[in-house]
Amino acid sequence: MGKPLLGELVPAGGGDTIPLIRTTMKIGRRRSCDVCLPFPNVSSFHCELTYKDGYWVVRDLNSTNGIKVNGQRLRYRPLRPGDKITIGKRDYTINYELPLHGQKALEAVLAETDGVFNQSLMEKAGLTKASRQAIYNDDDELDADDD
């Protein structure tokens, strides 16, 4: 008897699906990873998928090219069934059954974590170009109110 299937990653554009059979799975270029993606833009240990409370979570492992969920670059994100995950430059859709208790837990966590884990420390400190631009835009809005 095989291990229970907790979900699967479906590659965009076709190819073999990747079964998610463990509650924690490391994804990267190394053969020792649970999911080996032998592509040059995938880090040795790129990210980790964890299944808890009925839903999947993806976490970047300080990879060079990062991860995206539905086109947004993130460090950590609980995943809904059907979310698109980009690992390096490879796109996958995560498919799994979300039990009722998992739906409630997932929505609660998503509400809590929006914005908290989605920025690097550099972005939070205003040390990246995008975060500096956001600060300047906020200043412009403040100046407009002073008139």
Side-chain angles (χ1 to χ4, degrees), residues 7-79:
E8 62 186 5
L9 290 177
V10 179
D16 294 335
T17 62
I18 300 167
L20 302 175
I21 56 173
R22 295 187 181 127
T23 56
T24 300
M25 298 186 70
K26 281 201 181 358
I27 299 173
R29 200 173 60 240
R30 289 229 175 140
R31 290 182 195 209
S32 62
C33 290
D34 299 301
V35 178
C36 179
L37 300 177
F39 306 112
N41 56 9
V42 174
S43 294
S44 297
F45 298 103
H46 200 97
C47 63
E48 183 175 74
L49 286 172
T50 305
Y51 186 81
K52 66 178 235 172
D53 298 329
Y55 60 90
W56 284 97
V57 174
V58 65
R59 180 172 59 98
D60 186 27
L61 297 176
N62 297 317
S63 64
T64 302
N65 292 310
I67 59 170
K68 292 179 183 177
V69 176
N70 300 324
Q72 183 180 10
R73 189 170 176 143
L74 307 167
R75 310 261 322 137
Y76 169 91
R77 178 67 175 216
L79 300 168

Side-chain angles (χ1 to χ4, degrees), residues 12 37-42 84-92:
L37 300 177
F39 306 112
N41 56 9
V42 174
K84 183 176 95 173
I85 305 166
T86 304
I87 302 168
K89 293 183 180 179
R90 307 290 174 167
D91 293 330
Y92 299 89

